[in-house]
Every structure is written in structure tokens, then in C-alpha cells.
Amino acid sequence: MWRGERETSTIACYSKLDPYVNLLRGGNSAFAAVLGGADWLTVLPHDVLTGTSASSIRYARNIQLVLKEETHIDQVLDPAGGSYFIESLTAELISKAWEKFLAIEENGGYQSFLQSGELSKLYAERQKEMASGKKTLIGTNVYAELIDTNLTDASSVTVSKRLAEPFEHLRARTPEQLPKAVLLNFGALKDYKPRADFVSGFLAVGGIEAQWSPSFDSIDQALSWIKEEQPHYAVICASAAATEEVVTNFLKEDAGDVVLDVAGKYPKELSDQWLANGLNGFMFAGQDKIAKLQDIANITIGGHPVE
């Protein structure tokens, strides 16, 4: 393997949200760089985007030291040698990369490729995968923590088109600027919990903390609770078997100004019927999280922003 002097960094995948996950990203990148034959590398601190500290710089330095002292990877000429898994993936990467290089050259070279907009198109496709959850950034578009987040841009490193940026923009609003959200849970815990967990995680990506209702046995119980809690936004969570009846009956009642969604994806005819009867929308896996969360964050009550 040719061994050139090259530097590696995962800062394009770094996030200001749950930044300690960046320690894992940096560690994985460093390990991959050594396996790939890098002669030298740089691991950036986990908080490089918002301002480093003496501790974060020490953590970044120790990532390299841990790899050296604990794995002895520096004592082996080719640590990945003989690994079918790594070598097959490397061969596939080389083959596809070479095809891409040839295609770029045949179409006028690097500058022509940039001017064609193809690079922006590839980035848009990757961002779409992030928004739908097909690709994940732990702590950013999945498993988000509802804690105070430092979104200050204090990085001395220039980074363009980070994948986490759209999700960081979602989290820029304060809790006071976001609608009060609740989950309307129907049936036994085992019936609604899978969907309630999903919805809670979905909303957390946008910085929205959802309050769980008690377990309801009837629509009247839910309406009484809504009147007491006065939420701006609610999501119905019930088993797949019970959801159609629950939603259909709920939409027949007057729930006030609350904006109502339902967890799950349903046949078009049924969905259109619910939407025509006042349902706001749906929340389901594979949905564009960024677009949906922006819509929720922009909810207005009676034509006025949430206060």
C-alpha cells in the first residue's frame, strides 16, 4: 500500500449537538486512518466547533495515545492485512472511486464538475438521507438529548456543509419559543409505548419535550385531559389495530385549538379522510424530520405564534 503523508479529520461529521459523541467519531476516524496507512494524523477536540478547552485538547491527544498504547497498532506493518471484511470494502471503495474519477475527467475535469452542480446534488442526497434517518448522527438526528446546547460558532476551522447543521438550526429555538407538545396515549402501555417512544425521540431531535398523557380508555378522558393541560400540539399514540377507531372518533369531537397529529402511516384514502376532518398530519419512520419539525416549531394558535 502506498503510504503518503496525509491528515484526517471527521469534522465534517462533527456536531454541536451532544458533542461528546464527537469523541467516538474522532476515535473511529483515527483508527481508520492508521488502518489505511496514514503516516500522520490529527484528531480534533470534540468541542472544536464551539470553542475548545484544555481538557478537550487533552482528550483529543489521548485518543491517539490510547490507540497506540492499548492496541499496539503502531507495531504492525499492515494491521488490516488478511481481513476479508476490510479488504473487500477497500476494493469496492477503490473501484467505485476510480469510476467516479474517470467520469469526472471525461466530463471536463474538476472545475467542470463543480460548475455542473453535481457536487451540490450529491450533498443534497446525503442530507436527504440524514433527514429521513437512513443515515444517522447519534445525538443529532437520533437519540437527541434535551439539554442546554451550546450552538456558538467559535471554531477556528473552516467547515462547509456539515451534515449536522440543519438539525442544529432546529435546536436554535428556546423551549419558550416552541409549542407545548403532548402525547395522547390510548390503551394499555404495551399497546402505545412503541409509538410513544418513537414520537418522543422524533420531537427531541427538534428540541421539543413531549409530555405523556395517562393511558386513556375513551375519547372523553382524552378531551378532559387536554382541556386541563392546554397543549398547543398533540400526537395520538395507539396500537395499529386501535388507531383507526380512535382517530376517527376523536376528530368528531371539539378538541379546541390543539393541532393534532397521529403516529403511523396509513392508506391514502383513510389519510385523506382524516385530513379533511381536521387532522394536521402524521409522524412516521422515514419521514423528512427537518421539514416536519420545522412545521411543528412554527405552529400558530388562532393565527398567532405560540407564546
Side-chain angles (χ1 to χ4, degrees):
M1 180 185 294
W2 177 81
R3 297 173 64 83
E5 291 189 358
R6 50 199 183 272
E7 177 180 3
T8 183
S9 168
T10 58
I11 192 168
C13 292
Y14 270 27
S15 176
K16 297 177 183 178
L17 304 171
D18 204 354
Y20 284 100
V21 181
N22 294 334
L23 288 169
L24 301 178
R25 297 180 182 119
N28 288 337
S29 175
F31 187 68
V34 177
L35 290 182
D39 293 311
W40 63 283
L41 58 88
T42 299
V43 178
L44 294 174
H46 65 278
D47 55 359
V48 66
L49 297 172
T50 55
T52 61
S53 65
S55 294
S56 65
I57 293 172
R58 182 170 181 262
Y59 295 158
R61 182 173 62 248
N62 283 347
I63 285 175
Q64 301 169 74
L65 296 177
V66 167
L67 288 175
K68 176 183 177 182
E69 301 297 336
E70 299 294 336
T71 70
H72 305 293
I73 198 171
D74 62 321
Q75 302 299 315
V76 183
L77 182 62
D78 185 5
S83 169
Y84 172 77
F85 173 71
I86 293 178
E87 291 185 349
S88 62
L89 288 179
T90 301
E92 183 180 0
L93 174 63
I94 292 171
S95 176
K96 291 185 176 181
W98 187 242
E99 289 178 7
K100 178 62 72 176
F101 288 142
L102 292 178
I104 291 173
E105 285 300 310
E106 290 172 0
N107 287 281
Y110 174 69
Q111 289 299 329
S112 295
F113 180 73
L114 288 181
Q115 294 170 4
S116 70
E118 283 300 309
L119 189 61
S120 295
K121 182 179 178 181
L122 290 173
Y123 170 75
E125 290 176 357
R126 179 61 63 85
Q127 193 62 70
K128 185 176 180 180
E129 292 177 335
M130 291 290 298
S132 67
K134 185 176 181 180
K135 301 290 185 182
T136 61
L137 279 176
I138 303 299
T140 299
N141 70 337
V142 291
Y143 306 123
E145 276 198 289
L146 289 169
I147 56 176
D148 290 338
T149 301
N150 179 13
L151 297 175
T152 305
D153 191 0
S155 176
S156 59
V157 181
T158 302
V159 189
S160 62
K161 296 183 176 180
R162 284 187 304 106
L163 295 174
E165 284 183 309
F167 297 96
E168 293 168 358
H169 294 157
L170 285 174
R171 295 287 296 273
R173 301 192 190 198
T174 65
E176 292 74 24
Q177 295 173 313
L178 296 169
K180 180 180 179 180
V182 300
L183 307 186
L184 302 178
N185 301 315
F186 288 86
L189 178 64
K190 64 181 180 62
D191 296 324
Y192 64 75
K193 189 176 186 301
R195 289 185 172 183
D197 284 338
F198 169 78
V199 172
S200 291
F202 193 114
L203 293 173
V205 169
I208 301 172
E209 184 172 8
Q211 178 185 353
W212 286 37
S213 76
S215 300
F216 298 132
D217 296 320
S218 70
I219 303 299
D220 288 340
Q221 289 178 340
L223 292 172
S224 177
W225 188 79
I226 287 175
K227 185 176 181 180
E228 179 181 341
E229 295 296 329
Q230 293 293 305
H232 304 119
Y233 172 73
V235 184
I236 291 178
C237 299
S239 68
T243 296
E244 181 175 351
E245 180 181 357
V246 169
V247 176
T248 300
N249 291 335
F250 195 96
L251 293 175
K252 294 177 181 178
E253 305 294 336
D254 181 10
D257 290 328
V258 64
V259 176
L260 184 68
D261 276 350
V262 60
K265 195 173 183 180
Y266 304 90
K268 186 176 186 306
E269 183 178 353
L270 182 60
S271 299
D272 289 344
Q273 178 184 333
W274 287 345
L275 293 172
N277 289 332
L279 186 71
N280 177 69
F282 306 88
M283 192 173 292
F284 52 87
Q287 187 175 18
D288 186 330
K289 291 184 179 181
I290 294 174
K292 182 64 177 177
L293 289 167
Q294 284 176 337
D295 287 343
I296 296 171
N298 292 331
I299 282 175
T300 59
I301 304 298
H304 302 284
V306 171
E307 296 181 354

